[in-house]
Amino acid sequence: FTLTRGAHTVHLEIIGFWKKEWLARRLQLLATHKPHNVVVAVSRKLRAGKADLADVDGVEVVPFAQIVPVKDVLEAAERIAQSA
């Protein structure tokens, strides 16, 4: 998903229905390419979170159980937009 307000664009990726190995590959891609405007919502079922993305600047992690918390996603997107 892409969130846009004014000149700021933040991308949202929801990772909740894949295997942990897929998540590991995705985290490697983020670490390699170092995007500066991504929010990643990660299912707690995958047992991953902020520590897994600690080395990736510009990526905000929002953990979720069943439903992606919109408020937390918007707050993360706002933090990214403010740091740009």
Side-chain angles (χ1 to χ4, degrees):
F1 297 95
T2 300
L3 309 172
T4 304
R5 181 170 19 146
H8 299 289
T9 298
V10 175
H11 302 286
L12 168 65
E13 181 164 8
I14 301 171
I15 303 174
F17 308 105
W18 304 103
K19 294 184 179 191
K20 190 158 183 163
E21 295 79 22
W22 184 91
L23 174 61
R25 286 193 311 268
R26 181 54 103 205
L27 296 178
Q28 181 60 42
L29 272 172
L30 290 170
T32 299
H33 296 288
K34 301 184 186 326
H36 294 284
N37 61 341
V38 175
V39 176
V40 180
V42 180
S43 171
R44 288 191 175 104
K45 292 178 184 178
L46 293 174
R47 291 177 174 52
K50 293 181 181 186
D52 296 302
L53 287 170
D55 295 333
V56 183
D57 293 330
V59 175
E60 290 273 342
V61 177
V62 177
F64 70 95
Q66 296 291 328
I67 299 171
V68 177
V70 174
K71 179 182 176 201
D72 294 347
V73 168
L74 293 176
E75 288 173 354
E78 187 65 33
R79 284 191 296 274
I80 289 172
Q82 289 176 359
S83 69

